[in-house]
Amino acid sequence: MILNRVQACLALAASLAMPALGNAQNPIRVGLSIAQTGPLSGAGKSGLLALQIWRDDVNAKGGLLGRPVELVVYDDQSNPSTTPGIYTKLVDVDKADLLIAPYGTNLTAPVMPLVKQRDLLLMGNFSLDANAQIKHDKYFNNAPWSSAKAMAQAYLALTGQLGVKTIAILAADAEFAQTIAGGVRQGLKERGLESVYDQNYPPNTVDFSSMLRALRAKKPEAVFVASYPSDSAAIIRALNETGVGSSVKIFGGAMVGLQYTTLMESLGSMLNGVVNFHAWVPERTMDFPGVRDFLARYQAKAKDANVDALGFYIPPFDYAIGQILAQAVNATKSLDNKVLAKYLRENEMKTIAGNFRYGPTGEWASPRVIFVQFQDVLDKNTDQFRSAGKQVIVGPAAYKTAPVRPFSEIRR
């Protein structure tokens, strides 16, 4: 079902840079599926609003190649089985000129064989290692990481700072969680860590108290969790009720959902001490040109659009997808997927999420995933997260704004 097929010509009607009528009637179509319902809709809805802001911005300046930009969007319902059919329709029926991948690894992986077979350019949307096996030369990700192992290493480096020797792993039985948990397992030996607990759980798990009791009995010094929004919230609540013992010096890792405004507000002080990955937070080292102006405009629209109020996680990077495509199209004066892919491989991308270059598999050549620690978080207070100091960056060193503190010390 098409949820939102926006006629971008309307935005151009008020523009002084109106293109010729023939071109205005022939928009450049950017096709994608993105979760508007289901468990990933929190990220999907906010990401779509960011892309709509980009579309309006670029159309207000005259579009691309003198043509307006139109988003052709389908709801994939957070269901990986829907995405191959959607992208087949986008290519064969809608005749999309450019493609953006679904949000997340689970939904992008089923699309990769199709885009490689058709030799199409695909802009990734926060997937992890989706191209690691297929190695399609026209895939380029917006997320600030390079691989699961590199992302895991950044977390494991923090365990070293706290003198950790033992670790417990708790991961959802789903693509993203298993990929990043695999990266952690690969890095244990070189970090001198011993795994004392390693448990996968079905994605529909709602009660984690028994798992945390079993984990606590092993007395780990670190706990790595890879989870999705609903289970991330359930784990934090179980953590608050059951505890994990005084041995734990660092808890968190790859908990999707703890970046969302509604979850941060509802969990409040229960988040204190948790260390988790993130993409952007309002710390001084994250002041990339244009990002705060974008977020101000996004936040002004967020309430009416009923999406994530702060928009720190996905929106700057989905806006960046548009900037990346626009940069490549404007520089090459082309929509040819081969020409655009060659440009993306060879040039620096300039975006509100920072400037970067792509590596051989279409991931960032120099990853910039950050790990934040919740500190001094109050209950029922959204505004506290608008300023620095509540999600301090504890790694990597280039973006660090505070030292990591032992979990057991903060929770005491």
Side-chain angles (χ1 to χ4, degrees), residues 11-274:
L12 287 181
S15 171
L16 294 176
M18 177 75 79
L21 180 60
N23 281 335
Q25 291 175 335
N26 183 26
I28 292 174
R29 293 180 171 175
V30 180
L32 70 153
S33 81
I34 195 163
Q36 300 296 286
T37 56
L40 299 179
S41 60
K45 289 179 177 177
S46 62
L48 180 56
L49 176 58
L51 282 167
Q52 290 168 335
I53 294 172
W54 167 74
R55 175 209 58 199
D56 292 344
D57 285 351
V58 77
N59 282 340
K61 296 178 181 177
L64 297 176
L65 305 181
R67 297 162 58 185
V69 172
E70 176 185 5
L71 298 179
V72 183
V73 185
Y74 293 88
D75 178 16
D76 54 44
Q77 304 170 9
S78 306
N79 183 349
S81 69
T82 66
T83 55
I86 289 174
Y87 280 80
T88 299
K89 185 174 187 301
L90 284 167
V91 174
D92 293 338
V93 179
D94 299 311
K95 307 298 182 184
D97 298 288
L98 301 166
L99 293 175
I100 298 173
Y103 164 70
T105 314
N106 298 2
L107 285 87
T108 299
V111 178
M112 293 304 297
L114 170 69
V115 295
K116 182 166 186 177
Q117 183 185 40
R118 302 287 190 96
D119 200 25
L120 299 170
L121 177 73
L122 181 69
M123 294 302 305
N125 192 358
F126 263 61
S127 60
L128 178 63
D129 279 352
N131 196 32
Q133 299 300 319
I134 290 183
K135 301 187 186 306
H136 180 37
D137 67 355
K138 295 179 181 60
Y139 172 85
F140 301 92
N141 200 4
N142 65 334
W145 44 70
S146 59
S147 69
K149 184 177 181 181
M151 186 172 169
Q153 286 297 314
Y155 183 83
L156 294 178
L158 295 172
T159 68
Q161 294 178 25
L162 294 171
V164 167
K165 298 297 182 185
T166 59
I167 189 169
I169 299 171
L170 184 61
D173 190 8
E175 187 83 21
F176 167 78
Q178 288 301 308
T179 300
I180 185 65
V184 170
R185 295 179 185 114
Q186 291 177 39
L188 294 182
K189 186 175 181 180
E190 57 193 83
R191 289 284 177 181
L193 288 165
E194 177 189 1
S195 175
V196 295
Y197 179 89
D198 194 336
Q199 179 68 51
N200 297 332
Y201 63 84
N204 59 354
T205 302
V206 295
D207 185 356
F208 290 89
S209 56
S210 61
M211 289 185 210
L212 291 189
R213 289 191 187 95
L215 183 155
R216 184 175 62 187
K218 300 295 183 180
K219 298 183 177 180
E221 294 177 300
V223 179
F224 181 86
V225 182
S227 53
Y228 289 88
S230 58
D231 27 315
S232 294
I235 290 169
I236 293 297
R237 294 186 190 284
L239 172 68
N240 195 55
E241 295 170 0
T242 307
V244 286
S246 59
S247 63
V248 174
K249 299 178 181 177
I250 183 169
F251 184 100
M255 304 182 74
V256 178
L258 300 190
Q259 304 84 359
Y260 301 169
T261 306
T262 52
L263 274 184
M264 289 195 296
E265 182 184 32
S266 66
L267 294 171
S269 61
M270 286 188 280
L271 291 168
N272 281 323
V274 173

